[in-house]
Amino acid sequence: DNNIIQQPYFTPRSKLETYQDAHRSLLFALRNSIFSSNDPLPHARQTALKAFLNLLQKTAPTTASFQPLLSDVLKHFKEIVQSDTALNRILDLNVNINDNNVNGNHFDITTWSPACTQHGSGYTCGLWQLFHILSIGLVEYNSLIGSSSGGSSTNTINGGIIPHQAAEAIRNFIAEFFQCEECRVHFLTEYDSCGHDRCNRLAQDLEHAKDKSDWIQFPLWLYETHNGVNERLRRERIERGEESSTSSGTTSTTSTMTTAQEVLWPPVEACPKCWLSEGRWDEQVVYSYLRLEYWPEDYRTETFRNQLRGIEAAEAFHPVDRIDVPSNSRDHHNDGDGDSTHKKIMKSASLSLPTPSLVSSACVILAVLGLVFWQRK
């Protein structure tokens, strides 16, 4: 029998590649999708563009390579909406100064990573990365605003970003500027019909967006929406007969057949704890994995990475970003018409890892006891 070689559905990539892909797609969108003529941008399109760019500037890490690009475009916004020529003049200046260097690494601004070109358009893939980065950034931004203003779970966070408004900014950007009509129609239909329980999950005002348990629903909704696209595309490939096994020499066969689980991100082998069983995922672990993939390195990303590698005892595993709500999972299944529905299943809470403050306190106590013991000798 021939050996069957199954190519991984998701090609691994570094965090640097993720941010570079997002940068490429942002630049590509600004160059190619904003103007359909050289006339001034209509008011509705101006509003949609500014809302999206403002959101992205607020939520993306300050160290992101595309922040200078955002600053330049927003600084000259009144000018760039007057014509395609004016916009490209600003973009040309920015490319020459900023875009060819990311943290000391030169990169081709027109060629997406292999992970992004694996399944077709690098631009679409990079745009998804941009959306995921800003979705995690919303939680980070609101957490920072909350801590600096002394906010708590019982008080509204003044100046915070409302999840519903962030989702609307993405929706309107896609409605006005995404040029793939079929893709745009699919997304808008899903969004406007409250797909993935959006209308209930995403807080629509500050009164209902009080803490992290509310904020994380935005990146989780976006994650679920993206996986829903992967599922739909798989069904369409099967219907067209595009998933098959092809011979490769006399000893092996390369398979393009996928299972329902294989097209869901993250891959089971990358994050076993994200998946409770086939199609059922743990919200809090998935959120921690999203943060690991789309946010700069810090103590929490390193701790979670160590947990994934099994450095911590299995019974002590739990996401670093655990929040003060009961742990829950989501059951992911199709209801027959391509839409995904979810039901929450309560599960027992995982054991918590000791916090840095507790570890430090314990070390101090042991040091004091040691000093006392040494003095008594």
Side-chain angles (χ1 to χ4, degrees):
D1 293 339
N2 289 340
N3 295 320
I4 296 179
I5 303 173
Q6 178 66 55
Q7 301 296 327
Y9 190 79
F10 298 104
T11 299
R13 67 174 152 214
S14 67
K15 193 169 294 187
L16 177 62
E17 288 177 314
T18 295
Y19 272 78
Q20 288 178 346
D21 284 335
H23 192 159
R24 292 178 180 110
S25 290
L26 174 61
L27 185 60
F28 184 91
L30 292 173
R31 280 203 183 279
N32 300 282
S33 303
I34 305 305
F35 285 91
S36 56
S37 69
N38 207 38
D39 296 328
L41 208 61
H43 179 72
R45 290 168 71 85
Q46 288 189 33
T47 302
L49 179 60
K50 191 167 189 178
F52 178 75
L53 295 179
N54 277 328
L55 173 67
L56 187 56
Q57 186 182 47
K58 277 187 176 181
T59 55
T62 57
T63 55
S65 62
F66 48 80
Q67 280 287 9
L69 171 63
L70 291 170
S71 295
D72 285 351
V73 172
L74 287 169
K75 179 181 177 180
H76 299 280
F77 192 80
K78 289 183 179 180
E79 175 187 345
I80 63 104
V81 297
Q82 296 307 309
S83 70
D84 186 50
T85 302
L87 173 57
N88 278 293
R89 183 166 56 248
I90 298 300
L91 297 181
D92 288 341
L93 291 173
N94 192 273
V95 168
N96 292 333
I97 296 172
N98 300 307
D99 291 2
N100 290 322
N101 188 289
V102 179
N103 297 327
N105 297 281
H106 291 275
F107 73 104
D108 183 348
I109 60 174
T110 62
T111 304
W112 283 263
S113 72
C116 250
T117 55
Q118 181 182 14
H119 299 295
S121 169
Y123 166 61
T124 303
C125 169
L127 201 59
W128 274 113
Q129 308 317 304
L130 197 66
F131 294 161
H132 288 302
I133 289 168
L134 77 80
S135 74
I136 296 298
L138 178 143
V139 181
E140 298 296 315
Y141 183 88
N142 282 355
S143 297
L144 182 63
I145 293 294
S147 61
S148 63
S149 63
S152 69
S153 60
T154 57
N155 298 314
T156 58
I157 305 300
N158 294 325
I161 302 171
I162 300 171
H164 169 74
Q165 291 182 353
E168 285 285 297
I170 291 178
R171 181 233 181 259
N172 293 336
F173 180 81
I174 291 175
E176 296 290 347
F177 303 111
F178 197 57
Q179 294 182 343
C180 170
E181 182 176 0
E182 181 182 1
C183 310
R184 183 174 66 248
V185 169
H186 276 299
F187 181 88
L188 295 178
T189 300
E190 178 82 10
Y191 184 95
D192 294 342
S193 62
C194 297
H196 306 290
D197 202 26
R198 175 188 63 81
C199 296
N200 294 318
R201 293 170 70 180
L202 302 188
Q204 300 196 23
D205 52 50
L206 288 174
E207 179 65 28
H208 296 92
K210 295 178 180 179
D211 56 33
K212 187 175 287 188
S213 63
D214 302 314
W215 308 329
I216 68 169
Q217 289 305 314
F218 176 56
L220 290 174
W221 161 78
L222 188 68
Y223 155 82
E224 214 168 326
T225 299
H226 196 173
N227 267 343
V229 172
N230 292 340
E231 290 180 305
R232 174 177 58 78
L233 293 176
R234 174 179 180 266
R235 289 192 302 271
E236 292 175 356
R237 289 194 302 270
I238 293 174
E239 290 170 359
R240 293 193 299 264
E242 294 177 1
E243 292 213 359
S244 61
S245 297
T246 57
S247 295
S248 177
T250 58
T251 60
S252 66
T253 296
T254 300
S255 175
T256 59
M257 293 295 292
T258 56
T259 65
Q261 181 66 43
E262 283 174 331
V263 300
L264 298 179
W265 188 90
V268 174
E269 60 272 19
C271 183
K273 293 290 183 178
C274 287
W275 301 99
L276 304 173
S277 61
E278 185 170 341
R280 293 176 58 247
W281 48 280
D282 185 294
E283 278 192 337
Q284 295 182 35
V285 180
V286 166
Y287 170 73
S288 291
Y289 193 82
L290 286 166
R291 190 181 187 280
L292 173 68
E293 287 289 307
Y294 294 108
W295 201 249
E297 295 297 302
D298 59 14
Y299 168 79
R300 283 183 288 172
T301 58
E302 184 60 27
T303 302
F304 185 66
R305 182 180 290 106
N306 288 339
Q307 292 174 338
L308 289 176
R309 292 171 177 169
I311 294 177
E312 301 294 344
E315 60 270 21
F317 182 96
H318 94 304
V320 187
D321 296 311
R322 183 159 303 278
I323 50 184
D324 295 329
V325 295
S327 177
N328 64 75
S329 65
R330 286 188 179 269
D331 185 19
H332 188 116
H333 65 278
N334 292 322
D335 61 11
D337 61 2
D339 192 18
S340 295
T341 56
H342 299 81
K343 56 183 179 180
K344 289 192 173 182
I345 305 170
M346 303 308 295
K347 56 180 280 197
S348 59
S350 306
L351 296 177
S352 300
L353 291 175
T355 62
S357 59
L358 291 177
V359 174
S360 300
S361 300
C363 290
V364 171
I365 293 171
L366 289 174
V368 172
L369 290 175
L371 179 61
V372 172
F373 178 76
W374 178 79
Q375 289 177 335
R376 287 182 176 180
K377 290 182 66 176

